[in-house]
Amino acid sequence: MSIEYISSGPGKTVMCITFPPTPPESASDRQKIREYHQQIHESEGFYVGERPVKSRPYIGSGITRHSANDEKAIAAAKFAVEASDHNKGEDCGGRLEFRKVVRVNIMRAAVFVYYITLQGSDQCFYEAKVLENIHHLTYQLKMFRPAQHYKE
């Protein structure tokens, strides 16, 4: 990487940063990237292996495993249970409460997207997709459903 300061007129300086070219990907790297994207597609982001190390960072494709003990992930899971339809209305057979986080994947972008597999007080497993606005520290529930991709 090189940094160069360029004058663009009286009293105006522009900083120019030059990055080295990205090394060409091998056929093996391209195959690993395809497999990674296939995992994202098939599991809807809930069960994704490690991101291929040599792959270029594509916006929106960087879903990685995250600690199930992370305070923010737990807060997002608790929010998902509270905001879910399972706690609205009387026909749900009782109030669902958060028990534990089983697995978390996260995509870091303008917002954090948590792909959470959790267990509720009914001993059933659920999947929740929660957006965290990192500037306002607020959550938005995008999906809450019985787990479809949970692997015991």
Side-chain angles (χ1 to χ4, degrees):
M1 176 175 78
S2 66
I3 299 176
E4 183 179 349
Y5 294 94
I6 303 169
S7 174
S8 62
K12 295 182 181 180
T13 303
V14 176
M15 180 171 58
C16 180
I17 301 174
T18 306
F19 293 95
T22 304
E25 296 171 345
S26 68
S28 172
D29 287 343
R30 286 191 299 276
Q31 179 60 32
K32 288 176 185 174
I33 293 168
R34 279 192 293 275
E35 290 169 3
Y36 171 78
H37 285 281
Q38 186 67 28
Q39 285 179 343
I40 290 173
H41 175 74
E42 289 174 359
S43 73
E44 300 175 86
F46 288 96
Y47 282 85
V48 178
E50 289 300 314
R51 192 166 176 264
V53 176
K54 294 182 181 180
S55 68
R56 283 181 254 153
Y58 300 105
I59 301 224
S61 69
I63 299 174
T64 57
R65 185 94 185 253
H66 195 67
S67 171
N69 297 320
D70 178 73
E71 290 179 22
K72 286 187 171 191
I74 292 170
K78 288 179 178 179
F79 169 81
V81 171
E82 286 298 316
S84 74
D85 288 338
H86 290 274
N87 285 329
K88 295 178 182 151
E90 298 174 16
D91 60 332
C92 294
R95 185 164 178 77
L96 181 67
E97 294 181 12
F98 169 80
R99 182 161 180 243
K100 70 177 182 176
V101 171
V102 176
R103 182 182 171 101
V104 179
N105 285 346
I106 189 170
M107 180 174 65
R108 293 170 176 90
V111 296
F112 284 3
V113 181
Y114 291 94
Y115 299 87
I116 304 168
T117 303
L118 62 95
Q119 187 175 28
S121 57
D122 60 358
Q123 305 305 314
C124 294
F125 295 92
Y126 298 92
E127 292 172 345
K129 183 176 175 182
V130 179
L131 278 58
E132 177 190 13
N133 182 322
I134 59 175
H135 301 293
H136 303 293
L137 302 176
T138 58
Y139 296 109
Q140 179 183 8
L141 181 63
K142 296 305 276 182
M143 176 199 338
F144 190 90
R145 66 181 182 205
Q148 296 179 7
H149 303 286
Y150 177 59
K151 301 173 185 177
E152 293 186 54

